[in-house]
């Protein structure tokens, strides 16, 4: 039976680079990997999946919260790779679960666990509930050498808990942080 995987990590943990490496390896073996991307993520271009390391590839399918996946598109695939899976709706996650189970196509989802306020994204929550395999992609805190577990949001370079939950950005807006540094940075930014 094919599995539904969730590989999660903080910002800057090379999730997209990992996804692109997996896509490359499938292609090198003449196997068909299919890349799905949330349509709201236009940071690097509407249909581009890009790593901060400079590697990129075109997405095969853009999905929105109400997308009904056409099962015919998954026929003959060797693997489905999903970037920014935390942005997917629970309905899309459930469809991916069924495709993995009923069609025998492994589906590997990459994404964040939590937003900058430490709350689970809906897509991540559903993946924690229904994935066969959950793997953490680790990185270190931007401020020390401990493991990063939170995404620290910056507004004009200052740590903040303000703003919309979905607020796209890269290093100029988000940094990986351990629990200690996350709380210290937020406390120092709000100190009188």
């Amino acid at each position: 039976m094919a599995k539904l995987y969730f590989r999660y990590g903080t910002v800057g943990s090379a999730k997209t680079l990992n996804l692109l490496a997996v896509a490359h390896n499938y292609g090198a073996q003449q196997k068909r990997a299919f890349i799905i991307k949330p349509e709201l993520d236009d940071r690097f271009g509407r249909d581009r999946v890009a790593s901060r390391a400079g590697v990129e590839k075109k997405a095969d399918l853009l999905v929105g919260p109400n997308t009904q996946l056409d099962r015919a598109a998954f026929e003959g695939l060797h693997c489905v790779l999903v970037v920014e899976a935390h942005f997917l709706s629970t309905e899309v996650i459930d469809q991916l679960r069924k495709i993995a189970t009923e069609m025998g196509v492994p589906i590997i989802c990459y994404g964040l666990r939590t937003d900058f306020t430490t709350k689970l994204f809906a897509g991540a929550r559903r993946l924690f509930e229904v994935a066969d395999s959950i793997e953490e992609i680790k990185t270190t805190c931007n401020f020390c050498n401990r493991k990063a577990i939170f995404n620290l949001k910056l507004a004009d370079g200052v740590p903040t808990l303000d703003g919309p939950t979905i607020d796209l950005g890269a290093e100029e807006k988000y940094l990986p942080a351990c629990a200690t540094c996350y709380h210290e940075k937020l406390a120092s930014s709000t100190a009188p």
Side-chain angles (χ1 to χ4, degrees), residues 4-8 82 84-90 92-94 96-97 107-112 121-134:
L4 173 64
Y5 299 84
F6 183 34
R7 296 179 178 166
Y8 73 92
V82 183
E84 306 293 349
H86 53 280
F87 288 141
L88 299 183
S89 66
T90 57
V92 172
I93 299 292
D94 287 343
L96 293 171
R97 169 75 267 175
I107 298 177
I108 308 172
C109 297
Y110 293 83
L112 299 173
F121 281 100
R125 177 181 294 111
R126 190 64 181 145
L127 282 162
F128 276 114
E129 293 168 345
V130 301
D132 295 295
S133 176
I134 299 169

Side-chain angles (χ1 to χ4, degrees), residues 2-191:
K3 293 182 178 180
L4 173 64
Y5 299 84
F6 183 34
R7 296 179 178 166
Y8 73 92
T10 63
V11 297
S13 60
K15 297 176 301 297
T16 303
L17 184 60
N18 186 290
L19 176 146
L20 292 167
V22 170
H24 171 79
N25 289 342
Y26 270 90
Q29 296 173 3
Q30 305 303 307
K31 294 177 181 172
R32 291 184 57 210
F34 189 80
I35 299 176
I36 296 175
K37 175 184 173 182
E39 63 188 6
L40 68 84
D41 182 11
D42 58 1
R43 291 173 298 163
F44 304 105
R46 179 168 157 70
D47 64 351
R48 302 306 298 170
V49 175
S51 162
R52 292 178 184 98
V55 181
E56 67 177 55
K57 191 166 177 56
K58 186 177 186 291
D60 296 295
L61 178 65
L62 302 177
V63 297
N66 300 313
T67 297
Q68 292 300 308
L69 299 175
D70 178 3
R71 292 171 66 105
F74 296 86
E75 294 288 341
L77 296 179
H78 293 95
C79 182
V80 173
L81 303 168
V82 183
V83 68
E84 306 293 349
H86 53 280
F87 288 141
L88 299 183
S89 66
T90 57
E91 293 78 15
V92 172
I93 299 292
D94 287 343
Q95 291 177 68
L96 293 171
R97 169 75 267 175
K98 284 184 109 173
I99 288 167
T101 302
E102 296 172 4
M103 297 184 71
V105 179
I107 298 177
I108 308 172
C109 297
Y110 293 83
L112 299 173
R113 176 180 62 154
T114 61
D115 64 24
F116 65 93
T117 68
T118 72
K119 303 288 191 274
L120 283 171
F121 281 100
R125 177 181 294 111
R126 190 64 181 145
L127 282 162
F128 276 114
E129 293 168 345
V130 301
D132 295 295
S133 176
I134 299 169
E135 304 165 26
E136 183 179 17
I137 301 172
K138 298 174 184 163
T139 193
T140 58
C141 175
N142 188 74
F143 309 100
C144 71
N145 275 332
R146 290 182 290 260
K147 183 178 90 165
I149 60 169
F150 295 134
N151 305 299
L152 182 66
K153 183 178 180 179
L154 306 174
D156 298 321
V158 178
T160 184
L161 289 174
D162 295 330
T165 300
I166 297 176
D167 190 9
L168 301 176
E171 289 87 359
E172 82 290 348
K173 192 175 284 188
Y174 296 100
L175 296 172
C178 69
T180 300
C181 291
Y182 175 86
H183 292 293
E184 285 176 356
K185 299 297 180 187
L186 284 169
S188 68
S189 71
T190 58

